Amino acid sequence: MTNERPLDELIRKFNEQNLKKSVDRRSFLYGAGKIAGLSLGLAIAQSMGGFKVDAAPNFSEYPFTLGVASGDPLSDSVVLWTRLAPDPLNGGGMPAHIVPVNWELATDENFRNVIKRGTEHASPNLAHSVHVEVSGLKENTVYFYRFKTGNELSPVGKTKTLPAAGASVASMTFAFASCQQYEHGYFTAYKHLAKEDLDLVFHLGDYIYEYGTYEYLSPTGNVRAHSSDEIITIEEYRNRHAQYRSDDHLKAAHAAFPWVVTWDDHEVENNYANVIPEKDQSVEAFIKRRAAAYQAYYEHMPLRRSSLPHGGGMQLYRDFTYGNLANFYVLDTRQYRDDQANGDGTKAHTAESLDPKRTLLGTEQEKWLLGNLGNSKSHWNVLAQQIFFAQRKSGSSTAPKFSMDSWDGYPAARQHITDFVAGNNINNLIVLTGDVHASWASNLTTDFNNSEAPIFGAEFVGTSITSGGDGSDLRADTAKSLADNPHIKFFNNYRGYVRCQVTPEQWRADYRVVPFVTEQGADISTRASFVYKKDQTGLKEIAATSVPMGVKMSDEVEEDRHRAHARAHEKQMEKKRKAAPIN
């Protein structure tokens, strides 16, 4: 074994020591975590080398095919992003050289008043992506930016800094989005989002999907195709991100506002948990895959160097302060969690799922969150996160079932937060959620099984951009879902995003939806608007409308989404069986 690479040797020893005997979960995670750390370091290091600098690059095709973006804004700083990719779906099409990329930041879109400029080096080690952290900016100010390399000029992007921490802020408007399965429809919602008057955009996960062509099928039919089979390697993840980033409407939305991003599961693989894959993968295969996915995610997002993958993970939980109006806590509910209980799925609770030691955020992230909540002086405290926070029962009254992948599958972890909120008399908690491909609005209470329990906040669940196809106003299970969960006040199954208008006194959420995504050109409607005030009376619907050209009722139920994932996995396994050599 003297010729083994360090990663291979560590994986071999881990497999010999742990997978051939029964081990407790802590030992498994410790050993797998060590592999992940080395794996992720090597994933980046193996693509680095002694690259020469091409000071005068020439491009056969336009290099800024993926557009521009900005993100992680602070009161005096923002990240500017682009990636050079003249052949985006085939590795980018760049030579193995470092390429200088000039950037400019101006107060006007014609760049008559350029206030900052500089040069970054786009290197093969990060797929020729560029992450510029511009500092020394004025708070709460709009700026314009662009890049240039060789004789090529990028599109112009618009960004904005945050107000200074503690500054008196009368209002803000932002939107949040999630779940954009490329094959399931056109990104028409982003066309409309790009035209909004927003300060900021949050993306709550499932930015890409890992499935191969036509594996994950929408009920209304797949209208576009992924460009490859299921993605596993760094090159494949890069190509998939590039395919999504090539969409004109997504590029427009990125160029219009600064974005704050976090991931869910499909940026790696459906329903993975920490270093545990969904199913049917070895520890070795999955940890290498996760390392590749994490690196590609960083390469394609406007993230700071503090989020650069290292040491087995990637720092994505972080906070943003919008004056004295709101503190946003961006969570990572995927990287640190215990495995889903009861074999995942929608199940009745057992001793496993009710184990008080189970964690969703991990010890450090939970401590960070509660510490920030306890010290906050803002009018609003906001969790920008991925999975359904409020209790959502299904099944029967005598045998209720819960999603093992959501906070319902980690009730003790959720109780830590609700107990802290109750103990500190917090009445201004807003939870922003994606994941479930439908719109929901819920009161948050200290006890979801007690209709008299105090209300301390609200959860706004945003629908998907495309995932699930065209959707409908209602589903076959809508009435039962609302009856079983009286704290949930709204459901809708169209696609779109949520726009939030925030003042010190109230939080307004507008559910902005399109009637279809399987054809282009859909108009946008505000299906419903809700207001939450800090008076324990809960959510109030203040406006509602019908959606022209939309289907009113479908036969779809919640479990259909899970069945579609299961069928996709079956297709993947069938492809692997057919590709396996015959002995």
Side-chain angles (χ1 to χ4, degrees), residues 61-72:
E61 301 290 340
Y62 185 61
F64 296 107
T65 55
L66 306 184
V68 300
S70 69
D72 274 16

Side-chain angles (χ1 to χ4, degrees), residues 154-198:
S154 78
V156 173
K158 179 184 176 184
T159 192
K160 188 178 183 182
T161 53
L162 304 185
S168 180
V169 176
S171 66
M172 74 173 297
T173 304
F174 72 92
F176 66 91
S178 64
C179 303
Q180 51 199 49
Q181 216 285 13
Y182 183 87
E183 297 181 305
H184 287 187
Y186 298 101
F187 293 166
T188 311
Y190 279 135
K191 174 184 177 181
H192 296 291
L193 184 146
K195 298 175 183 177
E196 299 268 15
D197 184 11
L198 306 175

Side-chain angles (χ1 to χ4, degrees), residues 59 124 249 530:
F59 302 96
H249 297 324
F530 282 83

